[in-house]
Amino acid sequence: MSQAPQHPRTNPHDDPNVQLMLRIRNGDDEAFTELVQINTPAVHAMVYRFLRNSQLVEDITQEVFLRIYRNAKRYEPKAKFTTWLYRIVANLCFNTTRKKKLATVSIDSFGKGEDAGSFDPEMPADLSPDKALKTRELQQDIETAIGQLPKNQQTAILLNKYENLSYDQIGDILELSTMAVKSLLSRARKNLRYSLRKHAPHRADSKKDGPS
């Protein structure tokens, strides 16, 4: 049974992004430009993973950094900068989803059990057309199931599978204990399996689960 990596806690002041934020807090606009350049690719990727809408990526990314700039004077380095960044991205994406009623998060893999098992959408070139079609259909089923998860379950799955964050790091972002994160991910995977069996029983395993 595999487990999410457990990264040791570090001093936030050792984080280069935190050092930039402290400079921004003191009015250094060049530090803000550097912060944006360093973190824009990661924000672009995360926004797209949440919304699956390339037309919104740039607008949401700009709003993320605008919020960072507006709140820089009140910034306190209590954790890694990315913890704060991911929280801002997640909140903005879910607010956008509620307003526009978009299909939200897509994910390429999820576990069965605690952390085991995965779905890999990368299809080998030698797959037969029939198998390739079934693989694409399964990916679409998973995307639909992910979009139906509650907000915290979606966020936890996204951060765990795409960003490869530890339970502790996800807990910092969602403001939950490590045990609560483990429980949240377990419920998310159970709900995904239940949804897949409900909507695509021919591609789901036989174990019975109900929504939680």
Side-chain angles (χ1 to χ4, degrees):
M1 179 184 301
S2 62
Q3 294 186 350
Q6 299 296 317
H7 303 291
R9 300 279 182 168
T10 58
N11 185 341
H13 287 271
D14 295 334
D15 182 352
N17 283 311
V18 169
Q19 295 173 15
L20 288 172
M21 281 301 304
L22 293 177
R23 289 169 53 193
I24 296 167
R25 189 178 67 181
N26 292 328
D28 188 339
D29 286 341
E30 289 185 4
F32 178 71
T33 299
E34 185 175 349
L35 185 87
V36 172
Q37 291 174 342
I38 292 172
N39 291 282
T40 290
V43 174
H44 275 169
M46 191 175 180
V47 171
Y48 182 74
R49 287 164 188 160
F50 265 109
L51 300 178
R52 305 301 292 182
N53 187 320
S54 58
Q55 295 179 343
L56 293 175
V57 168
E58 192 62 41
D59 288 344
I60 299 297
T61 298
Q62 289 180 4
E63 181 62 26
V64 167
F65 288 110
L66 181 60
R67 290 198 179 191
I68 289 173
Y69 188 81
R70 285 173 175 170
N71 289 282
K73 294 294 184 183
R74 298 191 297 272
Y75 177 75
E76 293 294 337
K78 298 178 180 179
K80 289 185 65 176
F81 170 77
T82 50
T83 299
W84 185 41
L85 178 67
Y86 286 146
R87 189 179 299 144
I88 293 172
V89 172
N91 286 336
L92 278 172
C93 287
F94 279 106
N95 287 340
T96 299
T97 299
R98 282 195 295 269
K99 291 177 181 177
K100 296 183 176 296
K101 298 181 180 180
L102 297 173
T104 56
V105 183
S106 171
I107 199 165
D108 293 337
S109 64
F110 67 92
K112 293 184 178 181
E114 183 64 21
D115 271 306
S118 66
F119 170 74
D120 185 357
E122 296 296 329
M123 294 178 288
D126 59 351
L127 269 185
S128 68
D130 182 60
K131 288 184 178 181
L133 176 60
K134 288 181 179 179
T135 300
R136 285 192 293 270
E137 288 176 346
L138 177 56
Q139 182 178 359
Q140 183 59 52
D141 291 339
I142 292 173
E143 291 175 356
T144 299
I146 290 286
Q148 295 170 349
L149 289 175
K151 172 182 175 180
N152 271 10
Q153 292 183 20
Q154 289 187 23
T155 305
I157 284 285
L158 174 69
L159 295 174
N160 179 243
K161 292 302 178 183
Y162 273 129
E163 305 302 331
N164 197 32
L165 299 189
S166 69
Y167 295 137
D168 287 343
Q169 290 170 320
I170 296 172
D172 287 342
I173 293 167
L174 297 179
E175 299 180 321
L176 296 172
S177 69
T178 300
M179 289 303 298
V181 170
K182 291 181 179 180
S183 177
L184 187 68
L185 284 168
S186 178
R187 293 198 305 274
R189 296 179 184 112
K190 182 179 179 181
N191 287 338
L192 287 172
R193 295 195 300 272
Y194 174 79
S195 181
L196 286 174
R197 278 193 298 275
K198 180 178 179 182
H199 297 290
H202 58 291
R203 288 194 291 272
D205 59 74
S206 59
K207 182 180 177 182
K208 300 298 182 181
D209 284 320
S212 61

